[in-house]
Amino acid sequence: MYHLPVLKNRRTLLERAEKFISEIYFTDCNLRGRLYGDSCPLESIASFLSPARIPFTEASKQNFAPYKVGETFGPTWWTSWFKVTLEIPAAWRGKEVHLLWESDGEGMVWRDGQPVQGLTKDGEKTSYILSECLKDEEPHSLTLYVEVACNGLFGAGQGSMIAAPDPKRKFSVQRAELVIFNRDVRRLLTDFEMLVDIVKELGEGEQRGYQALFTVNEMVNLCDPSDPSSFPRVHSLAHKFFSQRNGESQHTVHAMGHCHIDSAWLWPYEETIRKCGRSWVTAIGLMEKDPEFVFTCSQAQQFQWVKSWYPGLFSKIQHYVKKGQFIPVGGAWVEMDGNLPSGESMVRQFLEGQRFFDREFGMFCKEFWLPDTFGYSAQLPQIMQGCGIANFLTQKLSWNLVNTFPHNTFFWEGLDGSKVLTHFPPGNSYEMKGRVEELLKTVNNNKDKGRANHSAALFGFGDGGGGPTQLMLDRLHLVQDTDGIPRIRMSSPDKLFSQLQADSALLCTWTGELFLELHNGTYTTQAEIKRGNRQCEALLHDIEIASSLALCRDRTFLYPVEKLQELWRLLLLNQFHDVIPGSCIEMVVKDALKYYEDIRCDGAALLRKACEVLGSRGSSTGAFNTLPWERQEVVQIQDGDDKPRLALVRVPSIGVSPINDAQPVTPVSVTAQADGTVLMENGILQTVINKDGTLASLHLLSANRESISDGCCGNQFVMFDDVPLYWDAWDVMDYHLQTRKPVVEVLQPAHVVSTGGLRGSVSVTLRVSDKSVITQEIVMDAMCPYVKFNTEVQWEESHKFLKVEFPVRVRSPNATYEIQFGHLQRPTHMNTSWDWARFEVWGHKWADLSEHNFGVALLNDCKYGYSIHKNTMTLSLLRAPKAPDATADMGTHRFAYAVMPHTGSFQDASVIRCAYNLNFPLRLIQCSPDLEPWSAFSVGAQSVVLETVKQAEDVKGTLVVRLYESHGSSVTTTLSTFLPIREAWHCDLLERRDAGRPVHLTAGGITLTFSPFQIVSLLLIL
């Protein structure tokens, strides 16, 4: 009797199985070639081209012209609508019938006036199911519409994904026809694919891999692609293999459908709306067929867009949210950058997001969801907890260029000691496909083996949308409990974190920021976006304080609730993690700058209206101080038709004062020296300015201390070559530091503009290159502890980086940087790889380098990138990347920074207050001539900052005030106010009253106790 030989050559058996399901080889006789049966042309296709994104109701009324498959349309960012008429052959009764549609543009199928299916070739969605089993009573004649965007899943980059878009690119439909889809073939192909992957991934050292190899080989022996009757026996072999179960100790993977959609990136905001529609309607379609399928979805802004543009789809989403399948996550308005937004902006991200989810879905998110952001502030744990969030999920630190982060599941401890349970999916991805390789990586890459036996696997096409497919679900269902593969459980964030919390006894704690060792260039790229963010944050802060005080002074004043929400939402949208970092295309930059201009324009009107109440509507000039300490500063005013003049004014804390000219203790003097230098002094500082605008000396007179290092100059502009490895707008690499070139060519040497009195100034102009020029005004004000540098740069560079350096006479192993609601220290040395990976870091309004009893602070009004190495303090000013925006940062830039030497600690020297003063200038208002100075709020302790005063959400006659401890100390202090407060309560950051914590009111004010960097919010009921 003949016996089949037992083959032992692993390679031939494996390749045999691969070729049997190949899309390229032997498709005339292999299984893949049988996926589709008969085909039938469409009755007709007609198209209509629109430069704008228009709704279906408008598009369906247009005149459609005949279209032939293969014809091109465009250009980039236009939309081609197709009217498709089809007739399904009656002979296809009992068959599964698909509309097969392949195009390089993203598509949406519309049926009966509703979106029903996304079509994206890059997202493996190229067919729309017309019937799963054609019946006679089903309609055989149909008219569908297909909306095709002239962009791909990742935009339309010219030559590479992140290159600037090709504006003239053309698109086409390559295939459009009716086909019979052989579901049994698809099922077998999945069996084969997963077995082949198991063979490859388990390798030659695992017995289970060989079991898979011989199983799949026998399946090939049994399978006759031309004879469907052979399929059941083949599938039973696979089923026998996949039914062999895991042991109880096996790692559990919590699989969740996911579709990360960048709110703007390589495409504009408006296209994101359609990406959400295409992706989410497809996810709903999967839910309708699979009640176990769970889909996680973040960003309240995107839900709001879908609600406005696709109300029918939004109603379905609400239905499946109730069923627990469509799960809103994150709690934020957008997935914002984790470094650059202010502390108050981060609070508002959650306030707007959580309130939206509660209003639309009756739920608050319990987890912060930020998988793709370029670093995470050390204050996020406290802000999360204050917004009802105890868990955090991301994976971006897996991108670290230098060091491997040591955990996947751990507790993250923030600046104030708050802790949140944190999970980094070990598969290092938020867009898995359900493949064996990814599932095994999830187990093998888990850095907390023995401490955590559960982890997340987020599956679905992402970044540009797309989301999960039926094939991904089929793969995961097939191996949900198969020996050799981790146990797969279709799960939810709540189930995952509940399990992790239950097993958390052995988890480690990471304290401080989660610093991404990559994308350091995003602290500087697109400087105008950074400037717009900082200025608009300050403007909204001032509007809210002015409007709150106006409400208290005049009960007929209408607090601008709706308009403020609209402006805040624009600001929060621009804080998305590819917009404020500057890693987006030119179209997005233009949209973002327009939004900032809208905020400035509408915000100025709101501020003006509120200030009319504060100043009692007079004709004299007054000053409004929106900061919680008294300020004495030089301001420029204009009385009537007189030319502008300077005045030294004193304005109380969060209050108003008429302009009453005061005389400085010591006026400013500016003197040109015989050697061409200029000497400036104001009784606090004395500085010598060289011809090229650098500081030869900066002397702190009270301490008789020189600030500038021997043989060096401060305010030294330096240029660097800035060519990263790939991510142009994102990255600045460590090797750029080896290309330092000082800017030395002087076009106009330093010369005196103002000789002193209340203000002295010196101007200088430098040539950076034959294309770029720096003009700077160096300013010293009376009574001011810092020298200010008002700077204008005409910038036309390519792959260059402009910084300014201050080498100072300070020795310290650490420098201090302001972050949200506090500050942190980073090393000034490069002892370890963790230290030198921080060669370029982020901070907010100030950075400080101090030794005992002396230090120097660097302040700025719109910059975020710093590097402080040894004793050289460097502020990053401008970059010039060429992708994804070929025009990034080209043009004119205006910004200011300041240098402030001080005695004692930076806390005692009021560095924090000075940085606030630079960023929140006194507001000039009209007031009555007899107005008495008044203060609305003051705080007893210098360390406590009253950050926010606003009307409570949905509660008239109630204010929210937010304070934080800024020095890193424990303190008890008093908040004093003239406002008529009836009650005061502690509340969380979502403004929910803490019924167990009333605040005791006394004639002296409200007594509050703070721990280091603690944020405290109060409800004040008027």
Side-chain angles (χ1 to χ4, degrees):
M1 184 176 178
Y2 179 75
H3 292 279
L4 292 173
V6 179
L7 300 180
K8 297 183 179 181
N9 189 324
R10 181 177 181 274
R11 175 183 170 183
T12 60
L13 298 190
L14 177 57
E15 286 200 22
R16 180 196 189 198
E18 288 179 315
K19 295 298 190 296
F20 193 69
I21 56 174
S22 172
E23 296 179 353
I24 301 172
Y25 303 103
F26 310 114
T27 54
D28 63 320
C29 59
N30 72 4
L31 186 63
R32 179 76 61 176
R34 300 298 193 276
L35 183 59
Y36 296 108
D38 292 342
S39 63
C40 173
L42 303 176
E43 289 287 298
S44 67
I45 310 179
S47 68
F48 156 71
L49 192 61
S50 170
R53 300 171 180 89
I54 60 177
F56 172 82
T57 51
E58 182 180 344
S60 60
K61 297 174 184 177
Q62 304 303 313
N63 293 320
F64 286 76
Y67 174 81
K68 185 178 180 181
V69 171
E71 291 178 342
T72 60
F73 51 86
T76 306
W77 308 126
W78 286 41
T79 301
S80 187
W81 284 84
F82 293 88
K83 185 175 183 179
V84 177
T85 304
L86 58 90
E87 179 74 30
I88 304 174
W92 287 7
R93 183 177 54 188
K95 304 294 185 181
E96 182 169 340
V97 182
H98 288 199
L99 167 64
L100 196 60
W101 185 278
E102 293 185 6
S103 173
D104 45 1
E106 291 191 86
M108 170 84 93
V109 180
W110 291 79
R111 184 171 181 174
D112 300 326
Q114 294 297 320
V116 291
Q117 171 73 57
L119 293 171
T120 307
K121 192 173 182 179
D122 291 339
E124 296 181 3
K125 298 180 183 72
T126 56
S127 68
Y128 168 60
I129 302 175
L130 296 167
S131 176
E132 293 184 345
C133 182
L134 186 65
K135 298 180 177 63
D136 291 338
E137 60 270 22
E138 288 186 76
H140 286 45
S141 298
L142 291 172
T143 297
L144 305 174
Y145 289 85
V146 182
E147 175 190 14
V148 177
C150 293
N151 54 264
L153 205 58
F154 292 91
Q158 191 164 11
S160 77
M161 181 185 75
I162 66 166
D166 178 0
K168 298 179 180 179
R169 183 171 163 186
K170 295 288 187 175
F171 295 78
S172 67
V173 177
Q174 297 97 36
R175 194 174 179 185
E177 59 185 347
L178 300 182
V179 296
I180 292 175
F181 182 79
N182 293 318
R183 181 66 60 181
D184 52 355
V185 172
R186 176 66 270 175
R187 184 185 183 194
L188 269 188
L189 285 171
T190 305
D191 291 343
F192 274 102
E193 287 170 355
M194 297 301 277
L195 283 164
V196 165
D197 285 352
I198 289 171
V199 175
K200 292 194 288 189
E201 296 303 322
L202 292 184
E204 298 187 46
E206 291 286 338
Q207 172 177 290
R208 187 65 170 157
Y210 276 99
Q211 292 174 350
L213 177 66
F214 288 114
T215 297
V216 77
N217 184 64
E218 187 60 23
M219 287 167 63
V220 177
N221 290 335
L222 290 175
C223 185
D224 180 355
S226 64
D227 181 10
S229 67
S230 68
F231 295 173
R233 287 185 63 203
V234 178
H235 178 68
S236 67
L237 271 179
H239 177 73
K240 180 179 179 182
F241 178 91
F242 291 124
S243 298
Q244 294 173 330
R245 303 304 183 199
N246 273 303
E248 291 185 9
S249 65
Q250 182 61 275
H251 189 90
T252 299
V253 173
H254 294 248
M256 299 172 231
H258 186 240
C259 180
H260 179 67
I261 303 178
D262 289 319
S263 290
W265 181 29
L266 304 176
W267 51 87
Y269 285 125
E270 199 172 77
E271 187 57 39
T272 304
I273 300 173
R274 299 199 297 188
K275 285 178 174 286
C276 293
R278 290 187 287 260
S279 303
W280 296 1
V281 75
T282 305
I284 291 292
L286 294 174
M287 289 175 198
E288 291 171 344
K289 297 177 182 178
D290 186 346
E292 293 184 13
F293 172 52
V294 170
F295 181 70
T296 56
C297 193
S298 68
Q299 307 192 70
Q301 170 69 86
Q302 294 183 4
F303 283 91
Q304 177 64 54
W305 281 335
V306 168
K307 181 181 179 183
S308 299
W309 282 60
Y310 307 101
L313 171 59
F314 190 76
S315 295
K316 287 188 175 182
I317 289 171
Q318 289 179 309
H319 170 72
Y320 281 99
V321 169
K322 287 181 180 178
K323 291 187 69 175
Q325 287 184 260
F326 201 113
I327 302 181
V329 294
W333 189 246
V334 297
E335 289 189 8
M336 72 279 198
D337 181 82
N339 300 325
L340 308 185
S342 70
E344 187 61 30
S345 287
M346 286 187 166
V347 170
R348 299 306 177 91
Q349 288 284 355
F350 290 110
L351 183 66
E352 288 296 327
Q354 290 281 55
R355 282 171 53 80
F356 179 90
F357 290 133
D358 180 45
R359 183 171 61 252
E360 299 295 342
F361 306 118
M363 58 165 288
F364 290 103
C365 299
K366 299 177 183 178
E367 63 291 307
F368 187 31
W369 196 273
L370 203 59
D372 193 30
T373 288
F374 314 147
Y376 306 90
S377 165
Q379 268 292 25
L380 273 170
Q382 183 179 188
I383 294 171
M384 283 185 236
Q385 286 203 341
C387 297
I389 290 173
N391 306 311
F392 177 44
L393 183 143
T394 184
Q395 62 82 47
K396 197 64 177 184
L397 262 65
S398 66
W399 284 47
N400 271 6
L401 195 63
V402 180
N403 298 285
T404 300
F405 194 79
H407 301 294
N408 287 103
T409 304
F410 59 100
F411 286 104
W412 179 22
E413 182 177 80
L415 199 61
D416 72 316
S418 298
K419 288 185 180 182
V420 290
L421 179 58
T422 301
H423 181 66
F424 296 175
N428 295 342
S429 174
Y430 49 75
E431 50 173 334
M432 293 182 172
K433 308 299 185 293
R435 304 303 296 251
V436 172
E437 174 189 8
E438 299 162 338
L439 300 173
L440 290 176
K441 184 178 182 181
T442 296
V443 179
N444 298 333
N445 205 44
N446 178 22
K447 300 179 186 68
D448 295 282
K449 296 181 179 73
R451 290 188 288 264
N453 205 29
H454 294 257
S455 57
L458 310 180
F459 65 94
F461 287 94
D463 289 331
T469 67
Q470 184 62 56
L471 178 56
M472 296 176 195
L473 284 168
D474 292 344
R475 290 168 180 159
L476 292 168
H477 284 313
L478 188 62
V479 296
Q480 59 185 324
D481 191 4
T482 295
D483 185 23
I485 308 295
R487 183 176 288 106
I488 314 300
R489 175 182 177 187
M490 201 61 66
S491 189
S492 67
D494 188 51
K495 291 177 182 176
L496 168 69
F497 281 107
S498 294
Q499 189 66 59
L500 292 175
Q501 184 68 55
D503 300 336
S504 64
L506 298 178
L507 294 182
C508 299
T509 297
W510 179 273
T511 300
E513 67 179 326
L514 295 173
F515 185 87
L516 177 65
E517 297 171 359
L518 197 69
H519 295 356
N520 318 59
T522 59
Y523 316 147
T524 306
T525 304
Q526 299 288 9
E528 282 303 290
I529 287 181
K530 270 73 170 175
R531 182 170 181 256
N533 179 75
R534 184 78 65 83
Q535 290 182 347
C536 289
E537 286 178 333
L539 176 59
L540 292 176
H541 165 276
D542 289 0
I543 294 168
E544 289 184 331
I545 288 181
S547 298
S548 298
L549 301 188
L551 184 66
C552 294
R553 293 177 69 86
D554 181 356
R555 286 305 178 96
T556 65
F557 177 81
L558 295 178
Y559 191 92
V561 175
E562 292 182 1
K563 194 64 181 179
L564 269 173
Q565 182 185 67
E566 176 188 328
L567 299 185
W568 264 111
R569 285 182 171 185
L570 285 179
L571 180 66
L572 299 180
L573 174 59
N574 276 353
Q575 290 174 349
F576 179 74
H577 66 252
D578 276 309
V579 180
I580 191 174
S583 50
C584 51
I585 61 173
E586 183 182 10
M587 290 179 74
V588 179
V589 175
K590 289 180 177 179
D591 283 345
L593 296 181
K594 179 186 179 299
Y595 291 163
Y596 290 133
E597 194 53 41
D598 290 344
I599 296 170
R600 290 187 182 105
C601 182
D602 293 348
L606 296 181
L607 185 61
R608 189 164 51 247
K609 190 172 183 179
C611 287
E612 287 175 359
V613 177
L614 303 185
S616 302
R617 297 182 174 86
S619 57
S620 295
T621 302
F624 174 37
N625 174 19
T626 63
L627 296 178
W629 46 79
E630 182 181 82
R631 296 163 70 176
Q632 187 173 25
E633 295 178 16
V634 175
V635 297
Q636 181 175 289
I637 63 174
Q638 187 167 2
D639 295 323
D641 296 329
D642 297 338
K643 67 178 183 179
R645 66 181 180 87
L646 299 174
L648 179 64
V649 300
R650 186 187 297 272
V651 191
S653 164
I654 306 189
V656 173
S657 174
I659 300 293
N660 295 317
D661 292 0
Q663 294 301 312
V665 175
T666 305
V668 179
S669 68
V670 184
T671 310
Q673 307 289 90
D675 61 358
T677 62
V678 178
L679 177 68
M680 303 178 79
E681 55 183 311
N682 66 356
I684 301 172
L685 302 173
Q686 181 188 76
T687 186
V688 177
I689 303 170
N690 292 321
K691 295 179 183 179
D692 61 359
T694 59
L695 304 188
S697 169
L698 179 59
H699 210 75
L700 183 60
L701 296 174
S702 63
N704 194 27
R705 284 285 299 259
E706 174 58 49
S707 303
I708 304 299
S709 294
D710 288 337
C712 299
C713 294
N715 197 41
Q716 176 66 65
F717 290 103
V718 286
M719 286 278 280
F720 299 85
D721 295 338
D722 186 15
V723 184
L725 298 176
Y726 176 71
W727 297 100
D728 200 355
W730 295 258
D731 287 347
V732 56
M733 311 309 297
D734 53 358
Y735 52 73
H736 87 284
L737 296 170
Q738 298 179 323
T739 66
R740 177 184 180 275
K741 298 180 183 66
V743 176
V744 296
E745 184 176 353
V746 179
L747 286 181
Q748 187 174 26
H751 58 281
V752 178
V753 175
S754 174
T755 57
L758 291 179
R759 174 174 291 165
S761 63
V762 172
S763 181
V764 63
T765 304
L766 306 174
R767 184 186 297 280
V768 176
S769 70
D770 58 350
K771 298 178 181 178
S772 302
V773 174
I774 300 171
T775 301
Q776 191 167 66
E777 181 190 24
I778 304 171
V779 178
M780 182 179 281
D781 279 356
M783 312 291 287
C784 184
Y786 55 76
V787 178
K788 183 179 176 183
F789 303 86
N790 293 327
T791 310
E792 179 179 295
V793 183
Q794 299 288 341
W795 184 247
E796 297 292 340
E797 298 298 319
S798 178
H799 291 112
K800 298 294 182 182
F801 200 159
L802 177 67
K803 306 184 185 184
V804 65
E805 295 177 345
F806 288 87
V808 296
R809 290 192 188 182
V810 176
R811 180 173 177 81
S812 175
N814 295 295
T816 307
Y817 303 83
E818 186 195 36
I819 67 166
Q820 298 83 356
F821 297 127
H823 59 265
L824 53 73
Q825 290 190 329
R826 300 185 181 107
T828 59
H829 54 75
M830 294 186 175
N831 283 356
T832 71
S833 60
W834 294 89
D835 300 331
W836 62 258
R838 287 166 164 76
F839 61 86
E840 178 84 5
V841 299
W842 65 273
H844 283 203
K845 298 184 292 291
W846 59 268
D848 183 84
L849 184 64
S850 289
E851 60 190 37
H852 177 66
N853 212 33
F854 182 76
V856 177
L858 201 52
L859 322 177
N860 76 83
D861 72 349
C862 61
K863 300 299 175 185
Y864 296 90
Y866 296 88
S867 59
I868 301 178
H869 180 54
K870 294 186 176 179
N871 68 324
T872 299
M873 307 180 72
T874 305
L875 183 66
S876 297
L877 303 177
L878 294 170
R879 295 187 70 220
K882 299 303 173 188
D885 177 6
T887 66
D889 283 313
M890 298 300 99
T892 302
H893 297 269
R894 295 179 182 87
F895 50 85
Y897 56 89
V899 61
M900 178 181 170
H902 59 83
T903 56
S905 67
F906 69 84
Q907 293 99 325
D908 294 339
S910 296
V911 165
I912 298 170
R913 289 186 171 186
C914 287
Y916 268 95
N917 294 347
L918 181 65
N919 281 269
F920 294 81
L922 293 170
R923 302 277 184 182
L924 298 182
I925 66 172
Q926 295 301 112
C927 66
S928 61
D930 57 350
L931 178 73
E932 289 293 323
W934 56 268
S935 168
F937 290 97
S938 61
V939 184
Q942 181 178 347
S943 68
V944 176
V945 176
L946 174 54
E947 179 74 14
T948 300
V949 181
K950 65 181 287 287
Q951 180 174 278
E953 302 291 324
D954 300 331
V955 185
K956 293 183 178 180
T958 300
L959 298 182
V960 171
V961 297
R962 189 158 12 263
L963 310 94
Y964 74 96
E965 198 289 315
S966 67
H967 287 184
S969 61
S970 296
V971 63
T972 298
T973 189
T974 300
L975 172 65
S976 302
T977 179
F978 83 87
L979 303 182
I981 301 172
R982 292 189 295 111
E983 296 178 48
W985 295 84
H986 284 276
C987 65
D988 66 6
L989 298 180
L990 300 184
E991 304 181 9
R992 297 177 295 192
R993 179 190 298 194
D994 186 343
R997 297 184 66 196
V999 175
H1000 184 57
L1001 293 172
T1002 66
I1006 299 171
T1007 301
L1008 299 169
T1009 299
F1010 291 80
S1011 57
F1013 303 116
Q1014 184 181 2
I1015 305 165
V1016 171
S1017 297
L1018 303 175
L1019 290 171
L1020 305 182
I1021 302 172
L1022 303 175

